[in-house]
Amino acid sequence: MSTAPAAPGRTAVGISPGVLRQIEDRVLWLSTAIVHHANRVRPNASGLKVGGHQASSASMVSIMTALWFRHLRPQDRVSVKPHASPVLHAVNYLQGRLDAAYLPTLRAFGGLQSYPSRTKDPDPADYSTGSVGIGATATVWGALARRYVHPEAGGAAGRQYALLGDAELDEGAIWEAVLDPQVAGLGEIVWIVDLNRQSLDRVVPDPGATRLEGMFAAAGWQVVTVKYGTLLRELFTRPGGEELRERLDTMPNPEYQRLLRCPAAELRERLPGKGPGAGRVAALLDGLDDAELLRALRNLGGHDLAALDGALESVEDHRPTVILAYTVKGYGLPVEGHPQNHSSLLTDAQVRELATRTGADADRPWEPFPAGSAAARVCAEAGARLRREPVVPTAPPPVPADLGRTPAGSATTQAALGRLLLDLTRAAPEAARGVVTVSPDVSSSTNLGGWVNKVGVWAPAERVDWFHDDGETLLHWREQPAGRHIELGIAETNLVGLLGELGATWSRWGRPLLPIGVLYDPFVQRALEPWSFGIYAGGQSILVGTPSGVTLAPEGGAHQSVTTPSLGIEQPGCTTWEPAFALDTEWTLLHALGRLGRPDGGSAYLRLSTRPVDQSLAAVPADPAARERRRRQVVAGAYPLRRVADPRVTVAAMGAVVTEALEAADRLQHLGIAADVVCVTSPGLLFRALDARSGHGDGDSWVLDQAFPASRATPLVTVLDGHPHTLAFLAGVHRVPLSTLGVTRFGQSGSLEEVYRAHGIDADSVVAAALDLVE
């Protein structure tokens, strides 16, 4: 750990400390006024609080001023903590990247977003933030993704800064990322922690910086602590200064925050404390006038531009760095230090007083610095220095729709994934070169072994494979910069965080990738929130959950997923498929790959199974035109698997239980009840199609006409290895009687037959449900 020294007078060339402080004041004013206007000036017919975070923004003003006007380079990227979005907009405005017309539009429809958004804000935001902890960890995966697409540049391609609040460090995702073995060598990562010692509701009781320093250092990070500013550091050198420092270092956080609320006279009584050095501290304070005393108490390193400058200059480049910058929440505002200031709003009178103090005009809040002034010149020069050339995305490689093979024998959809990746290297090598797979230590158990052996494992530098000559080694772990599989530790949030950033390289760096993340399906829900946020931020990827469902019969309830089949219905920007056959897997995966890395693209989730299924049951048409028709139906969401004369019931099945549906149809036929069988591959696409038919969306409704034609409308039984509500909407296609079969409770170990019977998704249950509907 190191404590950054103050660096008086060391600022960017041509920027005097006075001008930088003038800009700092204007950033404080603008960020405060943006929130004020949204809540107290802009008309609000509903009367609901618009919100915003004046105090959380104020604690970041000095840090962001130092970074954007002193240290940032155009090749660097910054993730800004969610509640400091007004500061980002203020900086962008001053540097010419945001029109003043947007400043009054915080949280208005079509205006500035609540939190930084790289896809929705009108001004540049390198990372979308808002889900606490995810924005900070995104810089880790952004660094790794950039190294993957530009291995020749390494860490020299630009720093990845994350500005995060200390409360964000409570999030487990933070430490999962910090501790991953891939991270310790990423020297371009610089996290700056806004250590204001407050959360949303309270002042954090105990000092925690020492513990944080140890945790980051143990993970191999450089730790720089910026606790005190120039004024306090000078006071510490005077008689009584050591006692003052010890007093400040040891007092509880709430006591310090309470002192911030005291006038000077009361502060002189309370600050010395009751210890043996109290008299020397009191004597030191007697030598300060009231204004100097109040400034000294607030002179923390995170608000001292010289101290921040020294900290940023000390950053190393061979390992990640965390800067713990002590700050005051609400610094410079009347609410500073108050435990309930998180969402508090300044009054009109307080805003006018702030305008006077910062040299702004409350009646013309967005007025720029006077033309020709030193501050205007510095802002313009900083904007020019940080200007980036627009990213021109490269078109992704073409992906074939069909590789032309028809699987035979018995196969699983999980094995089809590995087979397709290998086939792609031969049939479409250009597309295969764009594929990068990621898994959390489950490559071999999810059938990626052949692919890993073929393409190798990615690493920043080549490593020795000590088992390359071991005859019993089946999975060869060749780590090299040219590898196309990335293996992380067992942390699903890391997997999807990296997946989101790999899926954003087409828009960040102009190079599209085709990223596929593979994990056990029961843990998709653990990863869902950060993956969803990655999609929101513009990442396009494929997530494969395998193996899935209670079909994992011997594994027991802990490894049996229930709710994942409905994800595609509910997740924006994503399409889900759960194929029943190997060829369905191939077609849907190829289609999903073809939608990656493009402005009109999107993400996909495939739910695969380890259950062997007789591939002849797929009845793939031999005629080329009929085969193509089947393929289009598969990727659109459903296809007729069996048609009979004069059907009395329809069984719609998805995934592994199609076998039970076909068996049930055979038995119903013997009972004199003809049954159609429809194979559902994507409930989400079918729901969109039905929604479009009602005039509420833009799905392709033609698939409903082909899979569920009106002329064959009959009572409907739906069955899947998942929650039955996933397919319940299908009764609405023709408003027919419905019986839904699926999994509604935690599973248990047993044979496949026992488990299917226990959950009512076996052939007996399908037959019984059909009989109940037609008799």
Side-chain angles (χ1 to χ4, degrees), residues 33 86 149 166 251 260 384 412 511 514 517 641 644 727 729 736 772:
V149 297
D166 51 352
M251 70 171 53
L260 293 171
T412 73
R511 180 182 167 187
L514 309 179
L641 184 56
V644 296
L727 299 179
F729 69 91
V736 297
D772 287 341

Side-chain angles (χ1 to χ4, degrees), residues 588-606:
T588 54
L589 188 56
L590 289 171
H591 183 78
L593 286 169
R595 298 180 65 244
L596 299 178
R598 56 182 71 248
D600 59 345
S603 295
Y605 161 58
L606 271 73

Side-chain angles (χ1 to χ4, degrees), residues 27-28 30-32 34-36 39 49-61 64 79-90 106-107 113-117 121 127-136 163-168 171 194 196 198-201 329-330 333 341-345 533:
V27 173
L28 175 63
L30 286 170
S31 60
T32 305
I34 286 170
V35 179
H36 177 75
N39 286 274
K49 180 180 178 180
V50 175
H53 301 86
Q54 291 172 326
S56 293
S57 292
S59 64
M60 286 297 302
V61 164
M64 294 178 68
S79 170
V80 177
K81 78 170 190 176
H83 295 156
S85 65
V87 186
L88 178 62
H89 299 311
L106 179 70
R107 301 190 174 200
Q113 298 299 297
S114 306
Y115 310 118
S117 171
D121 269 319
Y127 287 94
S128 296
T129 59
S131 183
V132 173
I134 301 301
L163 312 180
L164 62 158
D166 51 352
E168 286 191 75
E171 288 287 341
D194 172 15
N196 59 45
Q198 284 189 237
S199 60
L200 191 151
D201 292 325
K329 193 167 183 174
L333 303 180
N341 65 9
H342 183 79
S343 296
S344 63
L345 296 170
F533 201 81

Side-chain angles (χ1 to χ4, degrees), residues 413-485:
T413 55
Q414 176 178 290
L417 165 68
R419 174 64 185 267
L420 171 66
L421 292 176
L422 289 174
D423 287 347
L424 202 62
T425 63
R426 294 183 288 269
E430 184 182 357
R433 280 191 292 270
V435 172
V436 53
T437 55
V438 188
S439 68
D441 200 35
V442 293
S443 300
S444 56
S445 56
T446 55
N447 279 96
L448 290 182
W451 164 258
V452 172
N453 286 343
K454 176 77 174 179
V455 302
V457 179
W458 180 87
E462 189 164 357
R463 297 170 181 165
V464 176
D465 178 10
W466 294 103
F467 286 85
H468 75 280
D469 57 352
D470 187 322
E472 296 183 9
T473 298
L474 299 180
L475 181 62
H476 297 286
W477 212 251
R478 295 179 294 108
E479 297 179 272
Q480 54 189 338
R484 281 182 267 159
H485 174 76

Side-chain angles (χ1 to χ4, degrees), residues 584-665:
D584 295 356
T585 305
E586 178 181 303
W587 283 337
T588 54
L589 188 56
L590 289 171
H591 183 78
L593 286 169
R595 298 180 65 244
L596 299 178
R598 56 182 71 248
D600 59 345
S603 295
Y605 161 58
L606 271 73
R607 189 174 189 252
L608 304 183
S609 173
T610 50
R611 184 187 185 184
V613 173
D614 180 359
Q615 298 302 298
S616 67
L617 296 176
V620 179
D623 180 83
R627 178 187 175 101
E628 172 59 17
R629 184 172 184 265
R630 165 71 70 85
R631 187 199 66 81
R632 291 183 66 246
Q633 293 170 340
V634 166
V635 300
Y639 60 92
L641 184 56
R642 179 177 296 180
R643 291 287 197 228
V644 296
D646 302 320
R648 293 179 58 194
V649 68
T650 299
V651 180
M654 186 168 75
V657 295
V658 164
T659 300
E660 278 61 39
L662 290 170
E663 180 186 339

